[in-house]
Amino acid sequence: MTEIRTASEEETSAAGERLGESLQAGVVLLLYGDLGAGKTAFVRGLARGLGAPGDEVTSPTFTLVQEYPGRVTLYHVDLYRLEEREVDDLGLDDLVLGDGIVAIEWAERWRERPDDAIEVWIEDSGEDARRIRISGAPPPSA
Ligand code: ADP
Ligand code: MG
């Protein structure tokens, strides 16, 4: 388990970027945290770390899965507005078998989520402070 404390949105994105740089195709990332915790900010950095322009990464309003081509394709999924039954019908089980990297916000809504995924918890610890915990990630390369 890695724990990181950040003091700005940029620092949270930078943490995502460092993780993205170390990831191989086929990885699934499950993100947990309240609304406004910084999950999307983290995924924005992740996209950059995977060689895609991060600026486009936003919380999708209608599109449930957004695709960002880079060194490896990033699939960004936000389950916020979905019922568990609706999540079951999304085809996430197929998506995670592909050769992209799949990052899922509100991952707790997916009942069948894989247990060998990287998990990221983000907590608001007051004002702009955030605590980020990451489990299951490969050690950062030198
Ligand atoms: P989520 O996807 O978890 O709902 P967002 O990434 O969309 O959250 O939004 C996080 C909000 O919190 C943004 O408005 C951002 O500017 C603000 N913020 C303040 N401090 C931080 C921090 N340390 N890390 C990430 N976001 C922060
Ligand atoms: Mg979000």
Side-chain angles (χ1 to χ4, degrees):
M1 176 81 73
T2 304
E3 181 172 318
I4 304 163
R5 287 177 185 272
T6 66
S8 67
E9 178 177 342
E10 291 69 29
E11 285 182 22
T12 295
S13 292
E17 185 167 354
R18 283 194 301 277
L19 177 63
E21 286 165 357
S22 72
L23 295 184
Q24 303 299 320
V27 167
V28 179
L29 248 110
L30 306 174
L31 292 118
Y32 306 97
D34 292 338
L35 201 62
K39 301 179 295 299
T40 301
F42 189 91
V43 174
R44 199 172 291 129
L46 193 73
R48 270 188 229 124
L50 292 169
D55 346 335
E56 295 165 27
V57 177
T58 53
S59 293
T61 311
F62 296 109
T63 321
L64 298 170
V65 181
Q66 286 184 310
E67 195 177 326
Y68 301 100
R71 167 173 68 78
V72 181
T73 300
L74 170 66
Y75 296 92
H76 179 207
V77 184
D78 191 328
L79 303 179
Y80 179 54
R81 292 165 199 83
L82 299 185
E83 304 283 340
E84 286 178 335
R85 277 176 290 107
E86 297 175 298
V87 175
D88 295 340
D89 295 336
L90 271 183
L92 293 177
D93 39 0
D94 288 331
L95 189 64
V96 301
L97 293 177
D99 56 7
I101 285 177
V102 184
I104 306 173
E105 296 188 39
W106 297 96
E108 60 268 50
R109 309 226 165 143
W110 183 17
R111 292 181 281 204
E112 304 294 320
R113 60 190 181 275
D115 55 15
D116 59 350
I118 297 176
E119 295 187 293
V120 180
W121 290 267
I122 308 182
E123 280 169 23
D124 187 328
S125 29
E127 303 198 359
D128 291 349
R130 301 290 189 273
R131 180 165 78 127
I132 304 172
R133 285 171 302 144
I134 304 173
S135 77
S141 47

